[in-house]
């Protein structure tokens, strides 16, 4: 399995999620996508998309003020 | 008691920031992801406030007035506004509260929006604005044209929204990943816990209802409004005329501060500078937002949330054309983007 990091800091919503969806299509099952984002609304939108898509979230953490990282596994 | 405007604003900014309540997102999702969860939450605000305003009107605390419907300006302005909020990355209120989160792009959009609202309302474009808004039809709202009690429409709206909420709550439950908690009790609830969209909407509806009598008591006979107050704030800043500072001006300042308090308290405040393309989009989006809101007679709050609650033609027409404008802008700027390769670089946000 591979781990790909998507850096979206500086992108406003909805782009972190739009880019995450695009990146996900390039991965194979079992791969992980690490998404770095700093748009507050994505703290709801990205985990919701992962849950609705059935992708396990292996890590979700705050990296600092208004900065988050979430690791979504393609399944 | 102008200070009550500041308090209502503080509450509204706080709740919107913590609830991630984004009207732009609500309208955008309808087109981009074909999802109506946030639109439903938005309509919950309208429904709650609808019950509130007609109850206040029946109690004689406020008096709802019927005004002619400026159909042309509402259609054109609503569409421009809906288009603009996608460029600006948030509606007028969303821009106020994102500015409070430290997003410099929203600062730009906010300055541009308030300036162009003033240009349209009291500046060089006031003649154009007045001419557009003078194209009217006499009929102003649904219940007087239908010759029925407004409470019938309130009942229909509440029932329809309740069904929509039930539809969203009945969806198969899944567990959403959550951030690890570091606070407990009230601090956790206020500054950490993810808030449910519909609970947030009910709270916003109650705040919007409370705004009516509080604003009315100061002589400003209206509910929540963002555009005219923003325009007045600009005029006050350049003329020093303290007469301009009314309940609404306190309200918008409150939204900014309330959001800042919420963001700071939950570790979500940081000054974030956008790239050049986003900065230009924010400025342009803000300007169009000011123009559109002035034409339509209100933004996503004043029109789509406050006028709709009173069942005016202006409110519902603005809402529909705002959603259409959002759809066109979403199609152009979000759905037609070239896929970017997944890599560890910062995208240029085209």
């Amino acid at each position: 399995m591979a781990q790909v990091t998507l850096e979206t800091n500086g992108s406003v919503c909805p782009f972190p999620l739009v880019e995450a969806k695009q990146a996900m299509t390039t991965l194979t099952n079992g791969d992980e996508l690490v998404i770095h984002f700093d748009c507050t609304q994505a703290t709801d939108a990205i985990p919701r998309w992962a849950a609705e898509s059935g992708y396990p979230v292996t890590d979700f953490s705050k990296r600092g003020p208004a900065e988050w990282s979430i690791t979504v596994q393609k399944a | 008691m102008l200070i009550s405007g500041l308090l209502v604003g503080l509450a509204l900014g706080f709740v919107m920031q913590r609830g991630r309540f984004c009207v732009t997102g609500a309208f955008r999702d309808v087109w981009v992801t074909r999802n109506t969860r946030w639109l439903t939450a938005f309509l919950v605000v309208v429904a709650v406030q609808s019950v509130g305003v007609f109850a206040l009107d029946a109690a004689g605390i406020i008096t709802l007035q019927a005004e002619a419907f400026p159909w042309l300006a509402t259609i054109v302005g609503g569409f421009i506004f809906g288009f603009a909020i996608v460029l600006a990355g948030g509606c007028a209120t969303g821009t106020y509260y994102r500015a409070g989160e430290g997003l410099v792009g929203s600062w730009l959009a906010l300055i541009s929006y308030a300036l162009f609202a003033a240009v349209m309302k009291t500046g060089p474009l006031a003649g154009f604005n007045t001419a557009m808004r003078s194209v009217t039809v006499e009929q102003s709202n649904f219940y007087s044209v239908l010759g029925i009690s407004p409470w019938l429409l309130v009942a229909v709206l509440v029932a329809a929204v309740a069904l929509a909420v039930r539809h969203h709550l009945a969806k198969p439950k899944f567990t959403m990943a959550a951030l690890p908690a570091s606070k407990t009790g009230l601090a956790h609830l206020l500054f950490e816990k993810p808030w449910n969209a519909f609970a947030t909407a009910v709270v916003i509806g109650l705040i919007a209802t409370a705004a009516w009598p509080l604003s009315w008591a100061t002589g400003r006979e209206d509910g929540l409004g963002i555009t005219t107050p923003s325009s007045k704030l600009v005029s006050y800043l350049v003329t020093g005329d303290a007469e301009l500072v009314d309940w609404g001006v306190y309200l918008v300042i409150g939204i900014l501060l309330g959001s800042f308090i919420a963001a700071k308290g939950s570790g979500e405040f940081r000054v974030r500078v956008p790239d050049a393309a986003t900065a230009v989009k924010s400025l342009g989006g803000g300007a169009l937002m000011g123009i559109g809101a002035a034409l339509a007679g209100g933004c996503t709050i004043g029109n789509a949330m406050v006028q709709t609650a009173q069942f005016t033609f202006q409110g519902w027409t603005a809402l529909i054309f705002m959603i259409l404008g959002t759809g066109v802008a979403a199609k152009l700027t979000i759905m037609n983007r070239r896929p970017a390769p997944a890599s560890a670089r910062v995208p240029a946000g085209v």
Side-chain angles (χ1 to χ4, degrees), chain B residues 5-318:
Chain B
L6 189 72
L7 297 175
V8 169
L10 282 170
L12 192 64
F14 189 97
V15 171
M16 284 191 152
Q17 197 283 335
R18 290 296 302 125
R20 280 77 173 103
F21 195 87
C22 175
V23 184
T24 307
F27 292 0
R28 198 179 53 209
D29 285 352
V30 173
W31 305 99
V32 180
T33 56
R34 299 260 178 256
N35 180 311
T36 56
R37 177 186 165 84
W38 280 106
L39 183 67
T40 303
F42 178 78
L43 292 170
V44 166
V45 179
V46 178
V48 168
Q49 200 190 180
S50 197
V51 173
V53 286
F54 285 106
L56 288 164
D57 184 60
I61 298 166
I62 63 170
T63 313
L64 298 175
Q65 291 117 346
E67 285 167 19
F69 167 41
W71 60 272
L72 180 65
T74 304
I75 289 171
V76 174
F79 187 85
I80 292 174
F81 189 87
F83 189 92
I85 60 179
V86 174
L87 296 181
C91 70
T93 323
T95 300
Y96 267 99
Y97 92 69
R98 281 188 183 74
E101 289 181 333
L103 287 164
V104 177
S106 294
W107 298 359
L108 297 173
L110 188 57
I111 292 165
S112 177
Y113 157 74
L115 176 66
F116 275 84
V119 165
M120 286 288 286
K121 281 176 175 287
T122 55
L125 290 179
F128 162 69
N129 193 22
T130 310
M132 286 288 284
R133 287 190 61 79
S134 63
V135 183
T136 56
V137 289
E138 205 183 321
Q139 294 80 1
S140 77
N141 65 57
F142 287 94
Y143 55 88
S144 56
V145 167
L146 294 169
I148 54 172
S149 159
W151 286 103
L152 199 61
L153 295 178
V154 173
V156 170
L157 178 67
V158 169
V161 170
L163 282 174
V165 170
R166 206 183 66 167
H167 161 78
H168 283 283
L169 292 179
K171 283 191 174 170
K173 287 274 175 285
F174 49 74
T175 317
M176 247 171 79
L179 287 160
S182 65
K183 297 179 173 75
T184 52
L186 190 63
H188 173 72
L189 174 69
L190 286 179
F191 292 104
E192 196 170 40
K193 187 184 186 329
W195 291 13
N196 173 281
F198 302 110
T200 302
V202 170
V203 175
I204 293 173
L206 295 173
I207 294 170
T209 304
W212 282 91
L214 293 170
S215 173
W216 212 270
T218 67
R220 178 184 169 274
E221 299 186 344
D222 209 344
L224 289 180
I226 311 294
T227 309
T228 303
S230 300
S231 161
K232 283 187 169 172
L233 180 57
V234 170
S235 301
Y236 166 69
L237 290 174
V238 294
T239 61
D241 179 4
E243 288 288 297
L244 291 161
V245 182
D246 65 358
W247 192 91
V249 174
Y250 275 94
L251 172 80
V252 293
I253 293 169
I255 294 171
L256 193 63
L257 292 175
S259 163
F260 172 73
I261 292 166
K264 197 75 193 161
S266 49
E268 293 177 353
F269 177 87
R270 187 161 52 88
V271 175
R272 282 158 278 178
V273 181
D275 58 39
T278 307
V280 171
K281 272 202 305 193
S282 299
L283 277 169
L288 288 173
M289 222 167 31
I291 293 167
L295 277 173
C299 62
T300 28
I301 300 292
N303 250 331
M305 208 165 94
V306 174
Q307 287 284 326
T308 46
Q310 303 167 67
F311 299 109
T312 64
F313 291 132
Q314 178 180 298
W316 288 94
T317 305

Side-chain angles (χ1 to χ4, degrees), chain A residues 4-15 17-19 21-23 26-27 33 37-45 47-48 51-52 57 60-62 64-70, chain B residues 17 20 22 28 32-33 35 37-38 89 97-98 101 103 174-180 266-270 272-274 278 281 333-334 337-340 342-347 349-350:
Chain A
V4 177
T5 301
L6 178 70
E7 183 62 67
T8 73
N9 274 16
S11 286
V12 288
C13 287
F15 295 113
L17 179 56
V18 170
E19 281 159 18
K21 283 179 180 173
Q22 283 175 351
T26 66
L27 303 184
L33 182 67
F37 63 94
D38 65 1
C39 158
T40 316
Q41 287 69 37
T43 56
D44 172 69
R48 181 172 300 277
E52 284 176 348
V57 171
F60 185 17
S61 58
K62 202 160 174 214
E67 260 192 296
W68 297 268
S69 172
I70 188 165
Chain B
Q17 197 283 335
R20 280 77 173 103
C22 175
R28 198 179 53 209
V32 180
T33 56
N35 180 311
R37 177 186 165 84
W38 280 106
Y97 92 69
R98 281 188 183 74
E101 289 181 333
L103 287 164
F174 49 74
T175 317
M176 247 171 79
L179 287 160
S266 49
E268 293 177 353
F269 177 87
R270 187 161 52 88
R272 282 158 278 178
V273 181
T278 307
K281 272 202 305 193
T333 63
I334 299 165
R337 291 168 84 240
R338 290 186 312 278
S343 67
R345 64 178 176 79
V346 179
V350 175

